[in-house]
Amino acid sequence: MDARFLGIPELTEAPSAAVVVDVMRAFTVAAWAFARGAEKIVLAESLDEVLALKARRPDWVALKDGPPAPGFDAVNSPALLRSADLGGRTVVQKTTAGTVGALAVKDASLVLCAGFVVAEATARVLRERGCGSVTFVVTGEDGRADEDLACAEYIARRASGAAADAAGFLRRAAGSRAAAELAEGVREGSHPDDVALCLELDRFPFAMVAALEDSHMVLRPFDMPSAADGVPSAGSSSRM
Ligand SMILES: O=C(O)[C@H](CS(=O)(=O)O)OP(=O)(O)O
Ligand SMILES: [Mg+2]
């Protein structure tokens, strides 16, 4: 597999397959939202778009990074979301890096959004789809965020079928600037457990696929059909 690792500003053309990585914290949060029952996540272009969608659909859950704000229901913290009941709900998410990265590759034919919590499921989709060329979007710090780069490199190794010792990759992420800022409480809208939750390797069995639906980029959980039964696991979408 030919893997390229690019920051958002380096994305000049639509890749065929893209894995958008945001470990801390957008796609760890997204995975927790699905684990708590959310049906789908609309990835919004701006905070104003979140509020406009929420005005039309008051039942949707408006989520942003940074501190809590009027009109929003949730912040970008896995620890603060892990006990929420989101059964059947639609979440609208806007963050500084993760959602921006996914929207930057919306014309790709396959877009997976990932963090360590869905690493193996993501690699499995790439393996089973036989993706020969994959662009990893390292969303943080214009492509230099070590938590995202470490996760992207780990997924790339697993996608190519190579063995990979996860411990070293997780150590890099634990030593990243984002981890330090979250641990020190510099990032608003956070919880002391956020870093640990972002570093839980393969916490969830599903991958997350984003695709355009009625002009919005929509993220849904995806389980590959198992060889045994040929159908997706219950409770997960199989749209691709
Ligand atoms: O909420 C986060 O951790 C960050 C916000 S910031 O870059 O730290 O201000 O957003 P994300 O898009 O999840 O990286
Ligand atoms: Mg990030």
Side-chain angles (χ1 to χ4, degrees):
M1 191 189 78
D2 172 37
R4 297 195 308 160
F5 302 90
L6 299 178
I8 296 171
E10 298 169 293
L11 294 165
T12 51
E13 58 194 36
S16 58
V19 178
V20 187
V21 179
D22 193 338
V23 173
M24 297 181 192
R25 297 165 286 172
F27 299 138
T28 302
V29 165
W32 270 99
F34 292 130
R36 299 303 303 160
E39 180 194 338
K40 65 181 190 288
I41 299 176
V42 177
L43 304 173
E45 302 267 0
S46 66
L47 297 178
D48 283 346
E49 186 187 16
V50 176
L51 293 174
L53 289 167
K54 173 86 182 171
R56 288 209 299 272
R57 297 295 307 266
D59 55 319
W60 286 13
V61 178
L63 186 153
K64 68 182 277 292
D65 61 3
F72 288 84
D73 306 296
V75 292
N76 196 40
S77 160
L80 293 172
L81 207 68
R82 69 183 149 175
S83 53
D85 177 3
L86 297 175
R89 307 284 297 276
T90 294
V91 175
V92 192
Q93 184 183 29
K94 165 73 178 86
T95 71
T96 302
T99 59
V100 176
L103 291 165
V105 291
K106 64 183 174 194
D107 294 323
S109 47
L110 172 66
V111 179
L112 297 164
C113 294
F116 281 109
V117 290
V118 294
E120 190 59 32
T122 305
R124 185 166 169 238
V125 173
L126 298 173
R127 280 197 305 269
E128 299 198 6
R129 297 255 309 198
C131 295
S133 169
V134 179
T135 295
F136 288 85
V137 183
V138 178
T139 61
E141 299 170 34
D142 290 343
R144 291 184 297 278
D146 210 29
E147 76 281 11
D148 296 334
L149 189 55
C151 183
E153 290 174 357
Y154 176 75
I155 292 171
R157 283 187 68 94
R158 294 296 304 130
S160 69
D165 178 9
F169 295 92
L170 290 165
R171 253 195 314 275
R172 278 171 57 193
S176 67
R177 180 156 86 184
E181 288 180 358
L182 284 166
E184 290 160 10
V186 172
R187 295 193 183 195
E188 294 181 276
S190 64
H191 181 283
D193 292 347
D194 277 353
V195 172
L197 290 175
C198 291
L199 299 179
E200 284 190 318
L201 185 69
D202 301 330
R203 176 72 174 76
F204 303 114
F206 52 81
M208 299 187 292
V209 178
L212 284 169
E213 296 182 23
D214 298 329
S215 83
H216 288 118
M217 201 61 169
V218 176
L219 187 63
R220 294 178 184 269
F222 177 81
D223 276 358
M224 290 296 291
S226 90
D229 57 20
V231 295
S233 301
S236 287
S237 167
S238 61
R239 301 165 67 108
M240 278 183 77

